[in-house]
Amino acid sequence: MELSNIKVPNHVAIIMDGNGRWAKKRFLPRIAGHKEGMNTVKKITIAASDLGVKVLTLYAFSTENWSRPQSEVSYLMGLPSKFFDTFVPDLIKNNVKVVVLGDVSQLPDNTRIAVRNAINDTSSCTGMILAFALNYGARQDILNAVNYLIEHHQGESVSFQELSQSLSTGILAPYNDPDLVIRTSGEQRLSNFLSYESAYSELYFTDTKWPDFTAQDLIEAFNDYSSRQRRFGGITEETE
Ligand code: IPE
Ligand code: IPE
Ligand code: MG
């Protein structure tokens, strides 16, 4: 594949799905899939940064994932500290800045502290933004924004700009909206991820399960993205 012909999206958002099925296929417990998935996060973060992605958003835990068995939820809540304990030096070396989307106030103390430390330790990095969607749900996020705006606007109407900035993706400006949304594992739905921001995103689905997803697969997704014509409701030379 000719890397020089590839259009690299500014904001890539990934629904990292298929960890459980990856493990099941190997007769391993679901958490083994999450553990391997964490290694994929490390590889894909560095690959995306090397390719020149500006914002990489990773859907790590949804507002609906609390409904999983307590033992799995508890393992998932332990992953951020496992991940950051070993990986923050690499993030700093690669100039990657960590931010979080979603409601961190509901996370267990040690998870919240691990996330807060990673945010602080990388706060002066100026390269790619790595945004973890953690206890994130698009509907909850929109509801929070609406309530915030009701409180601060005293009955005045709100602009798209203000609504965008009030969502948790406001911190990603000017790259609030993903250019490309990737979902692994073969499911073709958004599962409450960036519903508002993905209004004009290109969607890419692959059967590959997240623990098996490689830098080469990311390049393959970018290659596919490069062939898309984004029209945003208008017309382009090809469709004239
Ligand atoms: C994605 O993998 C990780 C999280 C949702 C936290 P899953 O755990 O959903 O894996 P499958 O979909 O059951 O295979
Ligand atoms: C979406 O995956 C959430 C994350 C990847 C964190 P799910 O596995 O929770 O989604 P559904 O239940 O298949 O829609
Ligand atoms: Mg899943």
Side-chain angles (χ1 to χ4, degrees):
M1 211 176 292
E2 228 355 288
L3 259 185
S4 57
N5 295 331
I6 279 185
K7 231 189 278 168
V8 174
N10 285 324
H11 180 174
V12 181
I14 307 184
I15 303 171
M16 310 184 285
D17 198 15
N19 293 350
R21 279 164 284 166
W22 180 92
K24 197 173 170 197
K25 214 169 69 185
R26 288 163 179 75
F27 305 102
L28 295 168
R30 290 179 57 82
I31 58 169
H34 297 314
K35 187 173 181 208
E36 195 55 36
M38 183 183 78
N39 293 328
T40 305
V41 171
K42 293 182 179 176
K43 284 182 242 169
I44 295 305
T45 297
I46 301 303
S49 164
D50 287 348
L51 286 162
V53 169
K54 302 277 196 292
V55 176
L56 176 65
T57 302
L58 300 176
Y59 202 7
F61 193 88
S62 77
T63 47
E64 286 73 38
N65 287 147
W66 296 107
S67 67
R68 294 188 178 200
Q70 207 253 313
S71 56
E72 181 171 348
V73 169
S74 141
Y75 186 82
L76 288 168
M77 285 300 142
L79 277 181
S81 53
K82 273 202 187 68
F83 176 80
F84 290 124
D85 280 356
T86 53
F87 202 51
V88 162
D90 285 314
L91 291 174
I92 294 171
K93 203 163 68 200
N94 286 276
N95 202 18
V96 174
K97 179 184 176 131
V98 174
V99 301
V100 166
L101 313 178
D103 185 0
V104 282
S105 73
Q106 286 175 7
L107 302 177
D109 286 350
N110 59 338
T111 314
R112 218 178 44 242
I113 291 165
V115 168
R116 195 190 55 203
N117 288 344
I119 293 172
N120 289 342
D121 293 347
T122 61
S123 63
S124 45
C125 293
T126 55
M128 187 180 82
I129 293 178
L130 174 61
F132 278 102
L134 205 52
N135 190 24
Y136 173 89
R139 287 184 173 178
Q140 184 65 56
D141 203 54
I142 292 166
L143 191 63
N144 293 347
V146 167
N147 283 324
Y148 170 86
L149 290 165
I150 287 171
E151 203 182 314
H152 291 81
H153 271 254
Q154 279 97 26
E156 280 187 38
S157 62
V158 165
S159 64
F160 281 122
Q161 166 77 6
E162 284 164 322
L163 177 55
S164 271
Q165 281 312 110
S166 305
L167 296 170
S168 62
T169 45
I171 52 170
L172 308 177
Y175 305 112
N176 308 51
D177 300 341
D179 299 292
L180 175 66
V181 176
I182 297 173
R183 184 168 188 151
T184 59
S185 90
E187 308 300 345
Q188 303 194 357
R189 54 177 171 265
L190 287 176
S191 301
N192 205 10
F193 187 49
L194 304 178
S195 313
Y196 178 84
E197 296 88 333
S198 64
Y200 267 106
S201 304
E202 296 299 325
L203 308 179
Y204 180 84
F205 301 105
T206 170
D207 287 338
T208 303
K209 293 178 183 61
W210 179 248
D212 286 330
F213 194 79
T214 62
Q216 198 52 46
D217 294 322
L218 185 69
I219 292 170
E220 183 62 50
F222 289 0
N223 193 42
D224 193 282
Y225 170 82
S226 305
S227 70
R228 312 272 181 101
Q229 290 163 29
R230 303 187 74 188
R231 288 194 279 275
F232 300 99
I235 56 171
T236 55
E237 262 169 43
E238 291 89 342
T239 55
E240 251 174 320

